[in-house]
């Protein structure tokens, strides 16, 4: 995949036919989606009313005719490529009318900003810029995660008495998460700094984020991604109707766990039908505990009898339950351990293609793994790029730098550095443990602009 061409265009220069991406939460704007092609001037007026000054435009998805402007307007565009100051060049291009020439100039300027060597630049200023971008990326992921958590809590609050309202909320949230995934080719999986929301909302969001990333890596189209997202969000909705002794198990006994699985699937289908969910979503709810070898519940389906979206959600659900167990007394597994256990103990029960793609997607060291680098330093994996799963972004233990001021180390750029091995957090000295702060419960969300793409391809 190649990086997409994103332009920042003044709202006053937007035209129908331009494909825009709104960097807003799904409840912060009036449009059905955050990523769409402008149809008329009324939609542009609505963007002005939101107080936006500039909007991200995807040139590759826009109607080329939307960039046509009168010749006299085109001549007013500054010659950004002639200036020696790259920051001024980017500003000049952003302010210019979005002509076809300006589109090309923006791509050149953006490449220069990414790849140019700035030997004379002040290292401290550069570091502050990188740290600010890093904090902004994390803050956006945490903000969107919090919005998703609030929406999930609204779904669980409304589903029994107002199932249609709950369906609309769930559909809106699923659509927003698909849009966030598809914003660009370099969407990454990011571990959040703190667990947010309730245990049930955290699980639902984790499963949805990872299922969507996995589904896209398997080549599912956008319509199928929506089915995966909605099914993943609602796969456990039936637990709301379980009796307390099944909702709050004190152990992972096979008898009780089996009964709990059968009943919450049955109740989930009942609620799903009352919400008016489509057949593809109901399949995910009804089949997310079925296993390839026929040992799953409730129907004992085998192989291709299980819908592909359900096979995806089944695997991710098992993975997240290993990292974030629901039952008391069940040991927490590190992300590295959870993935290894799935492969070693459950691979005959899981779809082979889906499991292989999952291991490739997260790499050997998923976000949340504590690792030792090849130069002996200790670090925690915070993000994995799907194009480079063996070269994650890590937070390195640097006792002379405060954790909040530590820059992430992107191994995709460090060709002489790699991960040597995974460690269990309990083996770390207290100082390292406090610094890296591995989470007892792991929360994931999408991130953008966190991991820079390399100038040259790096072997994964």
């Amino acid at each position: 995949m190649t990086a997409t061409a994103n332009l920042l265009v003044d709202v006053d220069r937007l035209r129908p036919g331009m494909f825009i991406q709104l960097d807003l939460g799904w409840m912060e704007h009036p449009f059905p989606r955050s990523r769409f092609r402008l149809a008329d001037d009324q939609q542009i007026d609505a963007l002005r009313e939101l107080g936006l000054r500039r909007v991200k435009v995807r040139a590759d998805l826009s109607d080329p005719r939307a960039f046509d402007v009168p010749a006299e307007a085109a001549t007013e565009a500054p010659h950004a490529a002639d200036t020696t100051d790259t920051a001024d060049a980017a500003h000049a291009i952003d302010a210019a009318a979005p002509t076809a020439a300006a589109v090309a100039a923006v791509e050149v300027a953006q490449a220069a900003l990414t790849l140019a060597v700035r030997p004379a630049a002040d290292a401290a200023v550069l570091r502050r810029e990188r740290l600010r971008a890093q904090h902004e990326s994390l803050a956006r992921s945490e903000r969107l995660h919090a919005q998703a958590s609030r929406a999930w809590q609204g779904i669980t609050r409304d589903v029994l008495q107002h199932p249609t309202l709950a369906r609309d909320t769930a559909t809106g949230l699923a659509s927003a998460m698909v849009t966030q995934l598809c914003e660009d080719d370099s969407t990454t999986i990011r571990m959040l700094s703190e667990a947010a929301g309730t245990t049930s909302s955290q699980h639902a969001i984790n499963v949805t984020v990872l299922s969507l990333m996995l589904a896209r890596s398997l080549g599912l189209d956008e319509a199928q991604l929506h089915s995966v997202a909605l099914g993943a969000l609602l796969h456990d909705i039936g637990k709301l109707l379980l009796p307390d002794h099944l909702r709050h198990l004190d152990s992972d006994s096979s008898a009780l766990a089996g009964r709990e699985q059968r009943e919450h699937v049955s109740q989930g289908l009942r609620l799903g039908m009352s919400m008016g969910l489509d057949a593809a979503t109901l399949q995910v709810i009804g089949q997310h505990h079925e296993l390839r070898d026929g040992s799953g519940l409730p129907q004992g389906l085998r192989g291709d009898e299980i819908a592909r979206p359900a096979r995806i959600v089944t695997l991710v659900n098992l993975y997240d339950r290993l990292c974030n167990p629901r039952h008391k007394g069940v040991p927490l597994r590190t992300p590295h351990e959870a993935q290894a256990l799935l492969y070693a103990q459950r691979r005959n029960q899981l779809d082979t293609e889906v499991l292989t793609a999952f291991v490739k997607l997260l790499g050997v060291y998923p976000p949340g793994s504590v690792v030792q680098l090849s130069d002996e330093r200790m670090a925690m994996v915070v993000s994995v790029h799907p194009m480079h799963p063996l070269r994650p972004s890590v937070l390195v233990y640097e006792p002379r730098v405060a954790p909040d001021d530590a820059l992430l180390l992107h191994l995709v750029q460090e060709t002489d550095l790699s991960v040597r091995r995974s460690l269990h957090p309990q083996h770390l000295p207290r100082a390292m443990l406090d610094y890296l702060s591995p989470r007892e419960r792991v929360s994931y969300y999408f991130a953008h602009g966190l991991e820079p793409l390399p100038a040259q391809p790096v072997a994964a």
Side-chain angles (χ1 to χ4, degrees):
M1 295 183 182
T2 58
T4 52
N6 292 327
L7 313 176
L8 279 176
V9 177
D10 289 348
V11 171
D12 289 338
R13 297 185 183 275
L14 291 174
R15 302 287 184 272
M18 291 183 181
F19 192 99
I20 68 169
Q21 294 182 179
L22 297 178
D23 189 16
L24 297 171
W26 67 286
M27 294 183 288
E28 297 175 338
H29 62 77
F31 303 105
R33 304 182 67 180
S34 299
R35 181 174 176 267
F36 61 95
R37 183 177 292 180
L38 290 170
D40 50 44
D41 291 334
Q42 285 71 32
Q43 290 181 332
I44 298 174
D45 291 338
L47 293 171
R48 287 194 191 92
E49 293 174 3
L50 291 175
L52 300 176
R53 291 180 57 248
R54 294 179 181 178
V55 173
K56 185 184 295 182
V57 172
R58 284 281 298 272
D60 55 326
L61 298 179
S62 298
D63 183 343
R65 293 170 296 182
F67 295 97
D68 292 338
V69 295
E72 59 272 17
T75 59
E76 296 174 2
H79 296 287
D82 295 337
T83 180
T84 57
D85 188 318
T86 54
D88 289 343
H91 177 76
I93 290 171
D94 285 342
T99 62
V103 172
V106 168
E107 293 176 351
V108 171
Q110 288 176 335
L113 286 170
T114 302
L115 305 177
V117 179
R118 298 172 56 186
D122 178 38
V125 173
L126 221 80
R127 189 181 192 284
R128 284 197 298 271
E129 291 175 355
R130 291 177 59 197
L131 192 61
R132 177 175 53 80
Q134 181 177 301
H135 286 167
E136 287 177 354
S137 176
L138 174 58
R140 180 176 187 252
S141 295
E142 292 186 329
R143 175 171 59 85
L144 293 175
H145 184 278
Q147 289 179 1
S149 181
R150 288 194 297 272
W152 168 256
Q153 292 171 43
I155 293 166
T156 60
R157 180 188 63 241
D158 296 331
V159 68
L160 299 181
Q161 300 299 323
H162 307 286
T164 302
L165 176 60
R167 179 201 63 205
D168 292 344
T169 303
T171 301
L173 177 55
S175 178
M177 294 181 75
V178 172
T179 296
Q180 292 156 16
L181 168 72
C182 297
E183 278 189 13
D184 55 57
D185 294 338
S186 58
T187 301
T188 60
I189 304 167
R190 175 67 156 97
M191 187 188 70
L192 303 186
S193 58
E194 294 181 3
T198 64
T199 300
S200 61
S201 68
Q202 181 190 6
H203 175 65
I205 295 167
N206 278 356
V207 172
T208 306
V209 166
L210 292 177
S211 293
L212 279 173
M213 291 289 293
L214 179 55
R216 187 171 76 161
S217 75
L218 286 164
L220 274 66
D221 61 30
E222 194 161 331
Q224 293 170 313
L225 291 178
H226 279 273
S227 295
V228 169
L230 193 55
L233 277 171
L234 300 176
H235 73 279
D236 275 345
I237 195 71
K239 289 183 178 179
L240 295 175
L241 295 178
L242 292 184
D244 285 345
H245 72 282
L246 289 182
R247 290 180 64 189
H248 308 288
L249 295 181
D250 292 329
S251 67
D252 195 22
S253 71
S254 57
L256 282 178
R259 181 181 170 193
E260 185 263 358
Q261 287 180 7
R262 283 191 296 271
E263 292 201 16
H264 90 253
V265 167
S266 174
Q267 298 291 4
L269 289 172
R270 173 186 164 192
L271 284 178
M273 287 185 283
S274 74
M275 295 167 71
L277 299 178
D278 59 51
T281 304
L282 291 173
Q283 271 190 324
V284 175
I285 295 173
Q287 298 179 0
H288 76 274
H289 282 300
E290 300 288 354
L291 298 170
R292 185 181 70 157
D293 64 355
S295 63
L297 297 170
Q299 300 181 69
L301 300 179
R302 291 177 174 271
D304 291 343
E305 294 175 340
I306 308 168
R308 198 179 191 200
R311 286 178 254 159
I312 292 171
V313 174
T314 294
L315 185 151
V316 176
N317 180 54
L318 288 171
Y319 171 80
D320 192 63
R321 285 304 186 200
L322 287 170
C323 296
N324 300 305
R326 188 168 65 92
H327 306 310
K328 297 178 182 179
V330 177
L332 285 82
R333 304 292 186 178
T334 68
H336 175 75
E337 290 174 337
Q339 191 181 75
L341 279 171
L342 284 180
Y343 190 81
Q345 299 180 9
R346 307 294 292 268
R347 65 177 180 269
N348 292 330
Q349 297 177 320
L350 299 169
D351 183 287
T352 302
E353 181 189 18
V354 173
L355 179 58
T356 300
F358 186 69
V359 173
K360 184 177 180 181
L361 174 71
L362 292 186
V364 182
Y365 310 104
S369 300
V370 176
V371 297
Q372 183 182 40
L373 303 178
S374 56
D375 63 0
E376 306 298 330
R377 287 184 293 174
M378 302 299 178
M380 183 172 64
V381 177
V382 299
S383 179
V384 173
H385 194 291
M387 293 174 64
H388 305 285
L390 298 184
R391 307 196 69 82
S393 292
V394 298
L395 174 67
V396 180
Y397 173 60
E398 298 282 4
R400 292 174 294 180
V401 180
D404 288 342
D405 295 329
L407 280 173
L408 297 182
L409 187 65
H410 304 294
L411 297 186
V412 72
Q413 294 182 324
E414 306 292 332
T415 56
D416 296 329
L417 198 60
S418 61
V419 175
R420 172 170 293 174
R421 58 173 176 156
S422 176
L423 299 170
H424 197 285
Q426 69 184 17
H427 297 148
L428 295 181
R430 171 52 59 181
M432 287 186 185
L433 192 65
D434 292 342
Y435 189 100
L436 298 177
S437 188
R439 318 294 174 228
E440 280 196 12
R441 306 191 72 82
V442 181
S443 290
Y444 294 122
Y445 210 75
F446 306 119
H448 302 95
L450 181 65
E451 296 192 37
L453 291 175
Q456 299 294 333
V458 176

